[in-house]
Amino acid sequence: MDPPGQAPMSAPLLLWVVLLRWASGGGFIRAGRTWQHCTDLRPLDVLSEAVPAGGLARGMRVLQAQGLRGLQLSASRPRALAFPASRLFIHCDRFPEEFSIIVTLRALRRPAKRNEYIFTLMVEESPGVLVGLRYAPDKLHFLFWSPERAGGWQSRVTFPNVSLSDSRWHTLVLAVSGQSFSLTVDCSVPKDVVVETPFPASLSVRRASFYLGNRRRRKGVFTGLLRQLVLLPGADATPRMCHGLNFKVAALSVPSVLQDVPAKAVSNEVLKYPYETDMKVTLGARPRCSKQEKAQFWFNASRRGLYLCNGSTWLSMLEVQPRLDYVEEHQKLVTNSETMGVEVFSIPRLGLFAATANRLTPPGSAIYRWTDGKFVHYQNIPTHQAQSWKYFTIGKKIFLAVANFEQNERGQEFSVIFKWSRRKAKFLAYQRISTHSARDWEAFVIQGEAFLAVVNHREGNNHNIDSVIYRWNPRTGLFETNQTIPTSGAYDWEFFTIGPYSFLAVANTFNGTSTRIYSHIYIWLRGSFQLFQSILTFGAADWEVFHIGDRVFLAVANSHSYDSGTPAPSNFYAINSSIYELNITAQMFVKFQDLLTYSALDWEFFSVGDDSFLVVANSFDGLTFSVNSIIYRWQGYEGFVAAHQLPTVGCRDWEAFHTAEGSFLLYSSAKEPLSKVLKLKTT
């Protein structure tokens, strides 16, 4: 058995995991036999070839988003965004038999069922696509021509459950070898597809041209930003790309005009990139953003921000970041009874909602809708000493799962999953799951499959019981048991990902005799969660994972220190809660900072502008439930420093959310039927 608090996953095991990953997903490409004499297996930068030396082609514009530059392509001149394939294939006129395609892009949110082309390779006299890549809102298609078939045939390889249309940067690596096709998105676990029709061994590119962002016509033109498009013959590029922490913007070859520091102009000439010239800027109140205003800018003087119209929405390009000044009470939310937890979520086209997990039955728990800047009662739902809610979606289905702590009127102990009815515009009971004093649900997706994990706190007086992970069965439309994990009086699950790896942390609270016990972090390996690390905690009630830059942190809320075999401390409840940071070299989380808390039950991480914050739910100091909860500000080298004290009563849960009216915090009270919405005032 591994020593407590140490990572049982040794360096050799982690190496084995990595090797297993490449063996199962990325390592199937052999040496490029047929192409060695053509290109010497060097990367072919398709995007750079399309950019003329010293400037940009007509129909190109350089834009910056999230700190990175990309090319925006015009739909009006698709043929201007093309160049002959012979400029890349210098020594032969055949496409490589085995290769990788590397793409870094930022795709905008757009209507469903709309396809957009990233690139195509086409012969002038033919409407068919020799090689191409296009995507829809939730899938990616790789197209190629199969000359072996009679008269030729357009083949398509589809990768489902690929979500790119989120206005964020993503890097794709598509590796092709014969009948095997592998797609890696942001260095996650590869999606492998084996098809009947292999990629042709000898595909002629004579008289063919590359087209950026289109297939030689205006329909289906790529509307996002393109930063990298590279063809790597004869090798799987995944190991070359996935070696750092910032997987989404990994680069093999990026055009000079898109690099972080542009090349200096010769003889002090003014750089002539489109982002410096020919800009139309509107001042004053927020103008409309439609197809007519596409590519126009709007300067918001009150917020000192510059925005770009993408044809439907104003996108922030430059903006002075707000800073948190103080916190004020915005709304007193009267609840059905004491509130053990709260969940804030959005329903498309309906807006923001909050679900409160209330103690008493009846009247049960309630859902509130954000209306005119406040939460207004929307629906009551029968629950039995509800502890928490979890909102999640599967495809277009919308669900809310409640963790019930007590039995129902018939003596049955169930937690319930509710499904949103679009016809009735409310949540209806969908599936009952047998639980044991359930405290929390966690929903997550691994490799395109949906999971739901419940924390079982105790069964009778036995706190050492199994908590359960359920897997969604798309055939039956129900959650089914997938794995059980031993827990001790558990309170909380926290799911998170780091690069291609998925983790699940459990907060163990009480084993029947002591709160001084180990909570565990599990890693997903070969179809199940396996122990990764154990951390000593004291009545752990919550885990919160968050990122600051490239750093990964994990905060635990310790509620109290009790051990039947040791003398009682002067105060069970005044105890340090701890923040841990991932140490890549040690391959484990190591303690970063201790913060004094008072029966802490929850952490919530949030940001205001460029500043990062943690707020703790202090619930009891040994004498009273009227205890200040604290907002801590990230101070870099100093760690988190107390910035604001918030008067709370039996504080149980925090939720941060943003609306058109500003940024807010919502806290629930486990000791009075009153929750509060606090507004974050900024300067």
Side-chain angles (χ1 to χ4, degrees):
M1 179 177 294
D2 297 284
Q6 300 300 312
M9 188 174 184
S10 63
L13 176 57
L14 184 58
L15 178 61
W16 174 83
V17 172
V18 175
L19 292 175
L20 174 66
R21 175 173 180 264
W22 300 138
S24 62
F28 57 77
I29 288 196
R30 306 179 298 275
R33 301 180 306 274
T34 61
W35 253 78
Q36 189 168 3
H37 300 295
C38 294
T39 66
D40 209 14
L41 303 184
R42 289 175 295 179
L44 305 178
D45 192 338
V46 179
L47 194 58
S48 292
E49 192 65 37
V51 179
L56 297 175
R58 296 187 64 181
M60 291 183 180
R61 182 183 294 269
V62 175
L63 297 179
Q64 182 164 315
Q66 298 170 333
L68 294 175
R69 292 173 182 168
L71 288 178
Q72 184 185 61
L73 308 176
S74 171
S76 61
R77 299 176 59 87
R79 289 182 177 269
L81 304 173
F83 66 89
S86 58
R87 280 164 45 181
L88 285 182
F89 305 140
I90 300 174
H91 302 294
C92 64
D93 57 6
R94 286 178 293 125
F95 203 88
E97 178 184 359
E98 298 173 341
F99 58 91
S100 289
I101 296 173
I102 302 98
V103 183
T104 299
L105 53 77
R106 182 176 183 266
L108 304 178
R109 294 182 176 91
R110 62 194 190 289
K113 298 183 179 180
R114 177 175 174 178
N115 290 285
E116 294 189 0
Y117 287 86
I118 298 171
F119 84 93
T120 57
L121 178 63
M122 303 177 67
V123 178
E124 284 301 323
E125 62 271 16
S126 172
V129 175
L130 293 181
V131 181
L133 202 59
R134 76 181 185 204
Y135 72 96
D138 60 350
K139 63 189 65 173
L140 187 79
H141 303 294
F142 176 63
L143 313 174
F144 64 92
W145 191 258
S146 300
E148 288 82 1
R149 301 276 186 99
W153 187 265
Q154 187 81 70
S155 296
R156 182 179 69 188
V157 179
T158 298
F159 295 92
N161 302 316
V162 177
S163 298
L164 302 176
S165 304
D166 56 4
S167 296
R168 296 182 179 274
W169 289 104
H170 296 284
T171 293
L172 321 178
V173 180
L174 174 65
V176 177
S177 178
Q179 296 174 277
S180 300
F181 300 79
S182 179
L183 177 69
T184 303
V185 181
D186 298 331
C187 292
S188 61
V189 177
K191 298 176 180 290
D192 297 331
V193 176
V194 178
V195 298
E196 179 181 352
T197 304
F199 190 84
S202 180
L203 180 63
S204 174
V205 296
R206 189 176 302 170
R207 298 189 304 278
S209 294
F210 280 96
Y211 292 85
L212 287 185
N214 67 83
R215 59 165 301 175
R216 211 163 57 202
R217 57 187 182 185
R218 296 183 179 181
K219 184 179 179 181
V221 168
F222 179 61
T223 57
L225 299 180
L226 198 57
R227 178 173 173 82
Q228 177 176 220
L229 178 57
V230 178
L231 172 65
L232 181 63
D236 181 1
T238 310
R240 296 181 61 172
M241 302 297 295
C242 300
H243 55 77
L245 283 179
N246 202 0
F247 301 118
K248 294 190 176 185
V249 294
L252 185 62
S253 181
V254 175
S256 59
V257 297
L258 303 181
Q259 293 174 8
D260 295 336
V261 180
K264 292 184 178 180
V266 179
S267 302
N268 294 322
E269 284 189 11
V270 176
L271 293 176
K272 299 178 181 178
Y273 301 150
Y275 59 81
E276 297 187 50
T277 61
D278 193 27
M279 295 197 314
K280 297 180 180 179
V281 181
T282 302
L283 304 177
R286 184 187 186 96
R288 73 170 187 169
C289 174
S290 63
K291 291 183 178 179
Q292 287 72 29
E293 289 77 32
K294 186 174 181 180
Q296 292 187 17
F297 288 87
W298 163 52
F299 181 73
N300 185 339
S302 62
R303 300 185 65 177
R304 291 176 288 175
L306 183 66
Y307 301 84
L308 171 70
C309 176
N310 68 354
S312 61
T313 305
W314 289 105
L315 304 177
S316 175
M317 305 302 294
L318 295 171
E319 190 173 32
V320 175
Q321 296 296 333
R323 292 181 61 86
L324 179 61
D325 187 17
Y326 62 95
V327 181
E328 68 175 11
E329 184 176 302
H330 179 75
Q331 179 186 5
K332 291 182 178 178
L333 182 63
V334 178
T335 54
N336 290 345
S337 61
E338 299 93 326
T339 302
M340 311 306 291
V342 62
E343 178 86 341
V344 176
F345 57 93
S346 294
I347 296 179
R349 294 185 293 276
L350 292 179
L352 194 72
F353 291 80
T356 58
N358 298 116
R359 185 177 66 85
L360 293 182
T361 305
S365 299
I367 296 175
Y368 302 83
R369 185 178 182 183
W370 186 262
T371 306
D372 296 329
K374 293 188 176 182
F375 282 114
V376 177
H377 184 272
Y378 185 82
Q379 179 186 355
N380 277 334
I381 294 183
T383 55
H384 302 276
Q385 200 168 325
Q387 299 295 299
S388 65
W389 288 99
K390 188 62 184 181
Y391 170 85
F392 61 98
T393 61
I394 299 177
K396 295 182 179 180
K397 301 180 180 67
I398 297 173
F399 297 96
L400 262 182
V402 65
N404 285 324
F405 194 74
E406 295 293 344
Q407 298 176 348
N408 61 20
E409 298 82 359
R410 300 179 181 179
Q412 302 168 322
E413 194 170 350
F414 291 104
S415 292
V416 183
I417 302 170
F418 296 85
K419 182 175 179 289
W420 176 257
S421 169
R422 288 179 171 82
R423 184 172 63 87
K424 295 186 177 181
K426 64 179 182 179
F427 284 97
L428 303 177
Y430 181 79
Q431 181 180 358
R432 297 192 309 173
I433 294 180
S434 177
T435 54
H436 303 288
S437 298
R439 287 283 191 183
D440 181 55
W441 286 104
E442 181 74 323
F444 50 91
V445 175
I446 299 177
Q447 299 173 24
E449 292 192 280
F451 294 84
L452 194 60
V454 67
V455 162
N456 288 321
H457 182 68
R458 59 176 169 81
E459 187 174 5
N461 292 324
N462 181 19
H463 290 78
N464 300 303
I465 60 175
D466 286 339
S467 292
V468 186
I469 299 170
Y470 300 89
R471 186 196 302 258
W472 174 259
N473 186 330
R475 184 179 58 82
T476 62
L478 297 172
F479 281 98
E480 301 173 353
T481 301
N482 181 73
Q483 183 182 359
T484 59
I485 294 180
T487 53
S488 298
Y491 250 72
D492 178 61
W493 284 118
E494 178 81 346
F495 175 82
F496 58 97
T497 60
I498 300 174
Y501 302 107
S502 298
F503 296 87
L504 191 62
V506 64
N508 284 326
T509 307
F510 183 61
N511 64 3
T513 60
S514 176
T515 62
R516 187 181 184 276
I517 57 178
Y518 287 92
S519 293
H520 304 295
I521 304 171
Y522 298 89
I523 184 172
W524 180 266
L525 293 174
R526 303 181 69 181
S528 66
F529 283 103
Q530 301 178 27
L531 185 62
F532 173 77
Q533 183 178 353
S534 299
I535 296 178
L536 183 64
T537 53
F538 300 85
D542 178 64
W543 285 108
E544 176 83 352
V545 69
F546 56 94
H547 298 250
I548 299 178
D550 288 335
R551 302 169 70 177
V552 183
F553 296 90
L554 193 59
V556 64
N558 287 322
S559 63
H560 61 292
S561 178
Y562 168 79
D563 193 321
S564 61
T566 61
S570 58
N571 191 332
F572 290 99
Y573 306 100
I575 185 174
N576 282 335
S577 292
S578 301
I579 302 170
Y580 298 84
E581 181 179 6
L582 178 65
N583 185 308
I584 297 295
T585 303
Q587 300 168 11
M588 63 185 298
F589 285 92
V590 297
K591 184 175 289 188
F592 172 78
Q593 185 178 5
D594 284 328
L595 294 170
L596 180 63
T597 54
Y598 296 90
S599 192
L601 298 178
D602 183 55
W603 284 108
E604 179 79 358
F605 177 80
F606 63 96
S607 299
V608 177
D610 292 329
D611 295 327
S612 300
F613 298 88
L614 272 177
V615 59
V616 66
N618 285 327
S619 65
F620 184 61
D621 65 1
L623 297 174
T624 178
F625 293 100
S626 297
V627 186
N628 285 337
S629 293
I630 309 295
I631 294 179
Y632 298 89
R633 184 195 302 269
W634 172 254
Q635 295 290 106
Y637 178 77
E638 300 177 67
F640 284 94
V641 177
H644 300 273
Q645 297 189 22
L646 308 175
T648 54
V649 179
C651 186
R652 180 63 182 87
D653 194 16
W654 283 104
E655 283 280 278
F657 63 95
H658 306 275
T659 72
E661 292 86 1
S663 299
F664 300 86
L665 290 173
L666 169 61
Y667 101 83
S668 65
S669 171
K671 290 300 173 181
E672 60 180 8
L674 184 69
S675 295
K676 291 184 179 180
V677 180
L678 308 178
K679 187 169 186 178
L680 305 178
K681 303 296 288 186
T682 60
T683 56

